[in-house]
Amino acid sequence: MFPMFFSHKEVPYYAGNPHPLQFNSVEFRDGQQSLFATRMTTDEMIPLLEEMDEVGFATMEMWGGATFDVCIRYLQEDPWERLRIFKQHVKKTPLKMVLRAQNLVGYQAYPDDVVEEFVARAADNGIDIFLTFDALGDLRNCETAFDAIKKAGKIIEGSLQYNISPFNTIESYVQNAKDQVSMGASAIHVEDMAGLMTPKAAYDLIRALKKELTVPIHLHAHCVGGLADMAYWEAIQAGVDGLDVCVSSMAFSSAHPPIESYIAALRGTPRDPKIGLGQFDAINKKFLAVRQNHADMATKLVGVDVGCLNHQIPGGMLSNLESQLKTMNMSDRLPKVLKEVIQVRADMGYPPLATPSSQICGAQATVNVLTGKRYGMISKEMTNYCRGLYGMPPGKIDAELSKLALKGKEPDFSRPGSRIAPGLEKARTAAGELARTREDVLTYALFPEIAVPFLKKKYKG
């Protein structure tokens, strides 16, 4: 006999939401980030854009996250130009970016004036929806970004970072979502970045959010643990408004469920999106060719890894961690690193492993394993985390870790942005003639070390 959460006898089938299900395309952002470390180039994307625009996606997530960093660090591309190119080719589908709130597209808190300028320029260059989150769930870090998005006249999609910890309950998630709506969010995005959500957990959480909120609720999950398809189906029953998906050739593994399956499954129901399946043949062939181009960077995950329920490493980080260990000829250390992540995350106060807390945790776990001594070396980022420069952790930081990181100094958990001096004019002065546009100044402000060689090459000749 199936468990009760599959039958939903308490409500008629699909009664949670009578409207057609919507889909958010994530191939150009989180899909490629999860499968081959975000190495897809703009030139590889262009031949797909107009076809993807015709599919019938509600939104297209194509910017932010790791894409900005990878563009200038590895691809020698201007991420701002990529955004403008998308806007030229994608005429029907609103463009969405992932914004790390006060951390923008970087790995630290930036000054408020840099946050304001970044949002303004992203909006002017083509972003319609800002999917905004704070890795620790500290909404003080979202205040400046939310205000800037409203000023730009664009849409705020708030985000809940789903994770399993002693500090996360349905009640806490619902309250956090309510707070974001009161701050200006027009939708709430549930981000299961590590593929942890069981079918029952998906149903219960989405049902609770739908009962308490009137804004659309979207769900994002990765296939790492083999649970995402079932979680999505239960979310549909609970009334979820939209799902993050990839086309099938970019789906599964550490990426996301395929859109085609849900189109077929919902046909003839009240939630039928009425999207044709025939158009995906040509699209999938093109994406498969792109994946072959980046086979050297591909994740080694085959099948599923239910171990993600323990280490909770996000799908988007897994391929990067594999790539980094491979570069050091230490791929065999991955299982030990993942095991060490469990302890480090607990010592950090159980933060959701979203960027940048995932990088801080993963990097420290890697150093612990490679040196053979836990916290024998502590990264600058971990020190700043313990100082409070990323915000308030969900739980208390381990006393020994805090002692080793702070070396007698006291932490300060006031809003990080309020402790940082304005930085935009400073960046403009420091960049000098290298920065010829407002966007160049921001690139320098975010990543000064790699912006210098990038901007020199960009304007060479």
Side-chain angles (χ1 to χ4, degrees):
M1 182 176 180
F2 288 109
M4 189 65 184
F5 61 85
F6 281 112
S7 61
H8 309 304
K9 294 179 180 178
E10 73 277 14
V11 293
Y13 203 50
Y14 301 115
N17 190 332
H19 304 292
L21 187 66
Q22 294 188 328
F23 298 101
N24 175 46
S25 156
V26 297
E27 296 86 354
F28 297 114
R29 211 285 299 174
D30 205 359
Q32 61 140 337
Q33 181 174 325
S34 301
L35 294 174
F36 45 87
T38 329
R39 293 308 199 271
M40 191 175 186
T41 67
T42 303
D43 284 344
E44 289 173 321
M45 295 175 182
I46 291 173
L48 281 151
L49 297 185
E50 293 180 9
E51 288 175 275
M52 288 289 283
D53 191 27
E54 295 292 334
V55 167
F57 291 109
T59 56
M60 185 182 293
E61 180 186 303
M62 45 63 63
W63 211 61
T67 61
F68 197 102
D69 180 6
V70 171
C71 270
I72 60 176
R73 188 184 301 272
Y74 299 115
L75 304 181
Q76 294 301 299
E77 291 185 6
D78 190 337
W80 299 99
E81 180 62 19
R82 174 180 293 184
L83 174 54
R84 290 188 287 268
I85 288 172
F86 263 78
K87 205 62 179 177
Q88 291 169 6
H89 290 273
V90 180
K91 304 294 187 182
K92 298 179 179 180
T93 313
L95 299 183
K96 182 189 295 186
M97 78 161 293
V98 174
L99 188 74
R100 299 167 183 160
Q102 200 77 32
N103 301 315
L104 296 176
V105 290
Y107 310 98
Q108 64 187 54
Y110 293 100
D112 286 342
D113 62 339
V114 174
V115 174
E116 292 162 353
E117 175 74 355
F118 184 90
V119 169
R121 299 316 305 146
D124 284 350
N125 278 274
I127 293 298
D128 302 297
I129 303 166
F130 290 80
L131 173 54
T132 308
F133 75 93
D134 177 64
L136 303 184
D138 185 344
L139 297 186
R140 298 174 304 167
N141 286 330
C142 295
E143 292 171 358
T144 301
F146 273 35
D147 288 344
I149 297 165
K150 286 185 281 188
K151 184 177 180 180
K154 301 299 182 178
I155 296 172
I156 301 169
E157 185 171 339
S159 186
L160 300 173
Q161 304 303 294
Y162 182 81
N163 74 122
I164 301 170
S165 84
F167 305 100
N168 293 103
T169 64
I170 287 179
E171 292 74 22
S172 69
Y173 285 126
V174 170
Q175 186 57 57
N176 189 287
K178 285 182 174 180
D179 292 342
Q180 293 188 60
V181 171
S182 70
M183 292 168 63
S186 300
I188 292 295
H189 171 100
V190 180
E191 174 93 8
D192 178 16
M193 59 277 187
L196 311 174
M197 192 175 281
T198 64
K200 185 179 188 306
Y203 182 84
D204 290 345
L205 179 55
I206 299 301
R207 192 82 174 139
L209 290 168
K210 290 297 294 181
K211 285 181 178 179
E212 296 291 332
L213 299 170
T214 58
V215 300
I217 308 297
H218 304 151
L219 178 59
H220 171 110
H222 290 254
C223 296
V224 180
L227 297 169
D229 279 304
M230 293 183 284
Y232 272 17
W233 192 248
E234 289 302 295
I236 293 170
Q237 312 307 308
V240 77
D241 297 279
L243 299 174
D244 281 11
V245 291
C246 288
V247 298
S248 58
S249 57
M250 290 285 286
F252 298 121
S253 184
S254 52
H256 313 77
I259 183 175
E260 295 97 318
S261 298
Y262 298 96
I263 293 172
L266 293 171
R267 184 160 291 164
T269 75
R271 309 227 56 195
D272 188 344
K274 293 183 170 57
I275 295 175
L277 286 170
Q279 61 189 319
F280 293 102
D281 290 343
I283 291 172
N284 278 314
K285 287 178 182 177
K286 290 181 179 179
F287 271 117
L288 279 174
V290 172
R291 289 191 67 171
Q292 291 169 359
N293 292 343
H294 302 286
D296 60 321
M297 301 298 296
T299 177
K300 301 302 183 290
L301 176 65
V302 176
V304 300
D305 174 20
V306 181
C308 70
L309 297 176
N310 294 319
H311 60 68
Q312 302 196 35
I313 288 288
M317 180 185 170
L318 196 57
S319 62
N320 283 285
L321 185 57
E322 290 174 339
S323 174
Q324 290 161 8
L325 288 172
K326 179 182 178 181
T327 300
M328 296 184 285
N329 294 317
M330 293 183 177
S331 297
D332 60 316
R333 303 287 188 94
L334 182 61
K336 290 185 177 180
V337 171
L338 295 179
K339 184 177 180 180
E340 183 66 11
V341 162
I342 300 171
Q343 183 60 53
V344 174
R345 176 172 174 263
D347 291 344
M348 292 172 68
Y350 292 98
L353 291 185
T355 303
S357 57
S358 57
Q359 281 74 13
I360 297 169
C361 181
Q364 187 63 59
T366 302
V367 170
N368 291 355
V369 169
L370 298 187
T371 61
K373 184 178 180 181
R374 183 171 293 156
Y375 307 132
M377 293 174 58
I378 297 180
S379 69
K380 175 185 175 183
E381 290 74 20
M382 179 63 85
T383 298
N384 287 338
Y385 177 90
C386 294
R387 289 176 59 197
L389 290 179
Y390 291 92
M392 179 68 74
K396 189 175 181 180
I397 298 173
D398 176 75
E400 185 63 20
L401 170 58
S402 184
K403 177 182 176 181
L404 291 171
L406 298 181
K407 298 178 180 177
K409 295 182 180 179
E410 290 296 319
D412 179 355
F413 290 106
S414 58
R415 186 180 77 89
S418 67
R419 299 157 57 189
I420 308 173
L424 193 60
E425 286 305 317
K426 182 179 179 181
R428 185 174 286 112
T429 300
E433 294 182 357
L434 278 176
R436 301 186 185 182
T437 67
R438 292 168 66 181
E439 290 79 6
D440 289 343
V441 172
L442 284 166
T443 299
Y444 181 89
L446 296 173
F447 300 103
E449 294 85 2
I450 58 175
V452 170
F454 168 75
L455 291 172
K456 285 181 178 178
K457 186 172 182 178
K458 175 183 175 180
Y459 293 115
K460 184 178 180 180

